């Protein structure tokens, strides 16, 4: 880079303005953003599986329509995030290959099974709720295409969280068995949802640099705390409890204290040994193989268009 290029980049960051695809950017900035944005895209795509699993078993036509719309939104999020990642220079086919080969990560949360209908509620309320807490600050990420994609994604996530909340509310005000099913779903998703924010700050190798680059605006622990503070009163309103005996209001800090999370489990899930990692990846590889004809048809069409334009 010339000094002028580096200075221009530094100036954009210091003014808190956006870096656009045509601007010069440091190699490490491009690389780290490609990593985060593509892994985010992979999470949206793999994240369709736990809920898609319940579409045919939704308890009513209305619930089925809502769930189908939500799962389709996740596909859309994956697509705009792949497009945003591609503006950094790596083609989608390469990003996809990194997912299929296991080289790229996707969110730990999607390696847990969705056992009952109440899990649709817990996923919407807790998983989409955590996603919103994490993603609202990303609307201000320094890289323009990522920040702009986040704005629309966050609006859709808000609807997702609301639909999850409503499922749980209805169950927790239903029969004793329904309430129990809702409580069980919350018990299973609470810890893994808190781990979506990433490892504790002291063990988060990317955070500091990402914050200096205005990609992340808050640390993993700061966002996790914000999420806990948000869901405690929501759980009370639902009539459900959160499975943490150490959860209590700390007057001095002005925040809820919460107990240690199981970080060994987290590490094992991101290394591939969670309850559903194998199944999720197998399903994704099958879906990719089954879609080969679509890619071939699109390619043949593009070639014909190019030929006709040249004639
Ligand atoms: N799972 O140094 P840090 C959704 C990795 S929401 C797996 O702290 P960073 C919506 C991390 O990549 C879910 N891996 O990393 C939806 C890094 O490894 P690497 C997706 C994790 O980047 C709802 C290493 O650990 N949301 O899909 C996790 O500064 C319902 C060290 O960590 C996003 O991706 C984890 N939980 O902070 C869809 C949001 N945590 O890459 C369907 C955008 C950390 O060096 C249904 N991403 N790792 O090999 C981010 O905000 C950040 O990347 C963090 C991690 C906060 C996830």
């Amino acid at each position: 880079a010339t000094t002028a290029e580096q200075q221009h980049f530094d100036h954009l960051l210091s003014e808190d303005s956006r870096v656009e695809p045509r601007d010069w950017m440091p190699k490490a900035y491009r690389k780290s953003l490609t990593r985060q944005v593509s892994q985010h895209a992979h999470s949206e795509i793999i994240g369709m599986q736990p809920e898609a699993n319940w579409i045919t078993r939704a308890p009513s036509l209305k619930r089925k329509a809502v769930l189908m719309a939500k799962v389709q939104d996740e596909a859309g999020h994956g697509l705009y995030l792949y497009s945003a990642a591609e503006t950094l220079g790596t083609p989608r086919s390469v990003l996809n290959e990194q997912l299929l080969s296991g080289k790229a990560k996707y969110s730990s949360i999607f390696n847990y099974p969705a056992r009952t209908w109440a899990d649709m509620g817990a996923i919407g309320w807790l998983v989409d709720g955590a996603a919103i807490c994490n993603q609202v600050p990303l609307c201000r990420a320094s890289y323009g295409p990522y920040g702009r994609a986040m704005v629309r994604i966050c609006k859709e996530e808000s609807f997702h969280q609301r639909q999850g909340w409503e499922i749980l509310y209805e169950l927790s005000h239903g029969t004793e068995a329904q309430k129990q099913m809702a409580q069980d779903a919350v018990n299973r998703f609470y810890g893994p949802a808190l781990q979506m924010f990433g490892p504790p700050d002291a063990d988060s190798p990317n955070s500091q640099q990402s914050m200096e680059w205005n990609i992340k605006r808050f640390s993993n622990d700061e966002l996790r705390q914000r999420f806990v503070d948000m869901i405690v009163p929501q759980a009370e309103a639902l009539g459900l409890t959160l499975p943490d005996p150490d959860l209590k209001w700390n007057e001095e800090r002005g925040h809820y204290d919460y107990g240690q999370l199981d970080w060994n489990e987290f590490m094992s899930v991101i290394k591939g040994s969670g309850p559903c990692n194998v199944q999720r990846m197998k399903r994704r590889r099958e879906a990719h193989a089954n879609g080969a004809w679509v890619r071939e048809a699109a390619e043949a069409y593009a070639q014909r268009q190019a030929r006709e334009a040249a004639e």
Side-chain angles (χ1 to χ4, degrees), residues 52 91 95 156 163-164 185 224 230 232-233 250 253:
L95 300 172
E156 294 177 351
Q163 67 86 41
R224 194 170 5 254
M230 182 182 95
V232 172
N250 182 324
R253 292 201 309 123

Side-chain angles (χ1 to χ4, degrees), residues 35 39 74 105 108 134 195 198 204-206 216 220 270:
R35 172 190 67 81
Q39 294 189 149
E74 310 299 355
K105 296 187 172 77
S108 50
N134 165 266
Q195 292 181 327
S204 165
N206 299 299
K216 283 168 97 158
N220 298 355
I270 68 175

